[in-house]
Each structure stands twice: as C-alpha cells, then as structure tokens.
C-alpha cells in the first residue's frame, strides 16, 4: 500500500473519530445543562422553603405570645370566678346565719307537718337545752320523705327569729351528748365540703392533744397551755367537758398560719380562753375570761 492511500485512510478515521467525539461531547453538554437546570430549580425551591420556615417561625412566636396572653387572661378569669364563688358562698352562708341544722330528731312515720316539727324542736330546746323562751321563725325537714320504718330521720333546718337565740342553742349543744341528736351550722354545700376535707386534720390534731375547731370554714388548731394547776382545769364530769368542749388556751396568743389554711397558736400565760360549741365541733365559740388573781 502506498503512502497516499495510508494518509487518506488515516484522515478518514480521524474524521470519523472526531464526529463521534463531538457527538459524545454534545450529549454530555446536554446532560450538564439538564443537571444545572435541576440544580437551579432545587436552589429556588430550597430558598422558598427557607422563606416559608422563617415565616412559620415568626408565626410561631406570634402564636406563643398570643397564647401566653390568653393564658394570663384565663388565669385572671379563673381567679375572678373563684373569688366570686367564694363571695357567693359567703353570702349564702350569711343568709343562713340564723339557721341551725338538727340531726337525729325523731320523725313521725306519716305526714309530719312543719308545725309539728317546730313543736318537736321547741321541746328539745326547752327540755334538753333549758331554753324555754326561744322564738322560732320556722322549722322543717329537708330531703325526700323517709320511709315509715327508716331508722334515720331527716335533718331539720331551724330558723330562729333572733340571732342571739341561735347562739344560745349552739352554746348549749353539748348538753345533747348521748341523746343521738346533733346541732350544727346550716351552711351551703360548698362550705360543708370545705369543712369535710379538713375533718381528718382536725381529728389528728385532737388526737395529738391540741385544740381544734372550725371558725366558719377555717380550721383553727391551737396548742394547750401547761396545765400545772388543777384548779384552772374543769373536772371530768363538768357539763362543759364533752364533744363541744375543746380545752383551755391562753388569752393574747400569737397566731401562725401555715400553708394548709389552718391556724396554729402558741400560747402565753396572760389569761384564759375557753372554747365551747356544738356536739360535732363544727361550730365553736370563744368566751374570754380574765384569770382571777
């Protein structure tokens, strides 16, 4: 083969290789353009997503602020509602300040009238409590009529015309000890529930030898003084001793109020204070006497 033929052949192969190479390069360029386009789209999408995330974060901060403001408003409303409920309960209790609730008073089997109930109450006040001149405004049973054979008579709500008569009945309630008849304050259901929850604490305090009684719905716990002189302590058979008598504490004592809502008192020796009340200890009064010198 001569030199010219070889040269022609090489030139032909070169052109073929060049064409094939240019085709491959174009294909790769096209692929690169596609990838670049996708990268551009992805970048724009990422930027858009980042902008949305920033907006969401800003919205979250705004919502958190609004939520805190609403929580504060709700707490204020709840506090206001609690205060109004407390005032309402106190007002309801105040409207019952001349009332007492008597439990254990026997009921006639059939059709006891209000007049008959009032007569029975007056008899108890006169015979048991030695209060013959008490004026009653009304006395009636509460709750559905009991069955004829029921051993548990319905309670009686008594309204006195004079608050002093009501207080006299409370002071003499301990005379009913052993009769199965109990005299208590007539409070609204919310106040009764508040007292009921504090009964275990009152029981524990009395078991520890302390003085515990209720003043409205507040449980008061006081320490006894050192009873070194028997002359200052009533005898065991004294009419003041019983469920309605809570003991002797000092006059002019200092009061400490712990978080549980009760009062605990550390006593001094500047005088005597005698606690008396009804048979269940729910109503207690404080009678102050100066120590005789």
């Amino acid at each position: 083969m001569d030199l010219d033929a070889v040269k022609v052949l090489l030139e032909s192969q070169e052109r073929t290789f060049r064409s094939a190479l240019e085709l491959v390069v174009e294909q790769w360029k096209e692929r690169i353009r596609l990838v670049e386009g996708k990268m551009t789209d992805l970048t724009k999408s990422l930027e858009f997503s980042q902008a949305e995330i920033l907006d969401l974060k800003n919205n979250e901060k705004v919502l958190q602020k609004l939520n805190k403001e609403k929580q504060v408003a709700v707490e204020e409303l709840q506090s206001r509602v609690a205060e109004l409920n407390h005032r309402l309960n106190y007002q309801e209790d105040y409207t019952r300040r001349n009332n007492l609730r008597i439990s254990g008073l026997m009921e006639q089997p059939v059709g006891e009238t209000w007049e008959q109930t009032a007569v029975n109450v007056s008899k108890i006040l006169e015979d048991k409590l030695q209060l013959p001149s008490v004026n009653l405004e009304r006395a009636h049973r509460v709750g559905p009529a009991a069955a004829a054979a029921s051993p548990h008579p319905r309670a009686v709500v008594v309204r006195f015309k004079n608050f002093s008569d009501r207080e006299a009945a409370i002071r003499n309630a301990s005379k009913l000890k052993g009769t199965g008849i109990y005299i208590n304050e007539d409070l609204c259901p919310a106040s009764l529930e508040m007292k009921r929850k504090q009964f275990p604490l009152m029981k524990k305090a009395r078991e520890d030898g302390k003085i515990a009684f209720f003043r409205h719905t507040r449980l008061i716990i006081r320490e006894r003084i050192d009873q070194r002189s028997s002359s200052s302590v009533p005898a065991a058979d004294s009419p003041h001793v019983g469920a309605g008598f809570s003991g002797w504490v000092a006059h002019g004592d200092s009061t400490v109020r712990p978080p549980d809502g009760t009062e605990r008192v550390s006593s001094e020796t500047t005088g005597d204070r005698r606690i008396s009340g009804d048979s269940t200890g729910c109503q207690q009064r404080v009678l102050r006497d100066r120590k005789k010198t």
Side-chain angles (χ1 to χ4, degrees):
M1 180 179 296
D2 55 8
L3 186 59
D4 293 336
V6 173
K7 185 177 179 181
V8 171
L9 181 59
L10 290 174
E11 289 176 354
S12 176
Q13 289 178 350
E14 181 183 1
R15 286 193 299 269
T16 303
F17 179 76
R18 187 184 296 274
S19 299
L21 183 60
E22 290 176 353
L23 181 61
V24 171
V25 170
E26 288 295 329
Q27 290 177 350
W28 276 104
K29 286 181 178 180
E30 183 63 25
R31 290 183 179 181
I32 290 172
R33 283 194 295 268
L34 292 174
V35 171
E36 288 177 347
K38 291 181 179 180
M39 289 293 294
T40 301
D41 294 339
L42 289 173
T43 301
K44 292 180 179 179
S45 177
L46 181 60
E47 291 175 350
F48 181 76
S49 298
Q50 289 177 341
E52 284 188 335
I53 291 173
L54 291 175
D55 291 339
L56 289 174
K57 287 183 177 180
N58 292 332
N59 291 338
E60 182 183 7
K61 292 180 180 179
V62 173
L63 291 175
Q64 287 178 348
K65 182 179 179 181
L66 293 175
N67 187 38
K68 289 182 180 179
E69 293 175 353
K70 289 183 178 180
Q71 285 180 346
V72 171
V74 168
E75 290 175 356
E76 291 177 352
L77 290 175
Q78 289 176 341
S79 175
R80 181 61 175 168
V81 169
E83 179 183 357
L84 292 175
N85 283 334
H86 175 73
R87 291 184 179 182
L88 181 62
N89 293 334
Y90 183 82
Q91 284 296 111
E92 185 175 352
D93 288 341
Y94 188 80
T95 61
R96 304 185 186 198
R97 67 191 300 267
N98 281 17
N99 293 5
L100 288 178
R101 186 176 290 253
I102 302 178
S103 305
L105 184 62
M106 294 306 298
E107 182 177 2
Q108 294 186 11
V110 180
E112 180 178 288
T113 63
W114 285 18
E115 291 79 7
Q116 292 171 330
T117 303
V119 170
N120 293 335
V121 171
S122 296
K123 187 176 180 180
I124 291 294
L125 295 175
E126 183 175 355
D127 296 346
K128 302 294 184 181
L129 305 186
Q130 289 77 49
L131 299 174
S133 59
V134 171
N135 295 319
L136 302 182
E137 186 173 321
R138 67 174 183 272
H140 62 87
R141 302 276 178 177
V142 292
S150 175
H152 304 291
R154 292 178 294 167
V156 178
V157 172
V158 182
R159 186 170 183 85
F160 295 80
K161 287 185 178 180
N162 300 316
F163 181 74
S164 59
D165 290 338
R166 183 258 196 194
E167 292 295 277
I170 283 290
R171 286 196 301 270
N172 290 274
S174 59
K175 297 178 181 179
L176 294 172
K177 183 180 180 181
T179 64
I181 300 174
Y182 304 93
I183 297 180
N184 300 301
E185 289 181 301
D186 181 36
L187 301 176
C188 68
S191 296
L192 290 175
E193 179 64 17
M194 290 176 63
K195 294 179 68 173
R196 185 190 67 81
K197 292 180 178 179
Q198 299 178 83
F199 282 154
L201 184 58
M202 181 178 70
K203 181 179 179 181
K204 178 64 169 55
R206 289 182 173 179
E207 290 175 351
D208 293 340
K210 300 177 181 179
I211 298 171
F213 61 94
F214 281 103
R215 183 170 294 161
H216 191 218
T217 58
R218 185 176 59 188
L219 177 62
I220 299 176
I221 298 176
R222 292 176 174 168
E223 300 287 348
R224 297 177 186 269
I225 64 172
D226 185 11
Q227 301 176 354
R228 289 174 291 183
S229 174
S230 60
S231 61
S232 64
V233 183
D237 56 353
S238 170
H240 294 295
V241 177
F245 179 76
S246 299
W248 298 81
V249 296
H251 173 65
D253 40 35
S254 58
T255 302
V256 179
R257 295 185 181 178
D260 58 7
T262 62
E263 290 185 359
R264 292 182 174 85
V265 177
S266 57
S267 300
E268 301 172 0
T269 57
T270 58
D272 291 331
R273 175 179 296 174
R274 188 177 63 197
I275 309 298
S276 64
D278 63 272
S279 56
T280 61
C282 291
Q283 167 67 24
Q284 302 277 345
R285 286 182 55 82
V286 178
L287 304 178
R288 300 174 182 267
D289 297 320
R290 290 293 183 182
K291 181 179 290 185
K292 295 181 180 180
T293 59

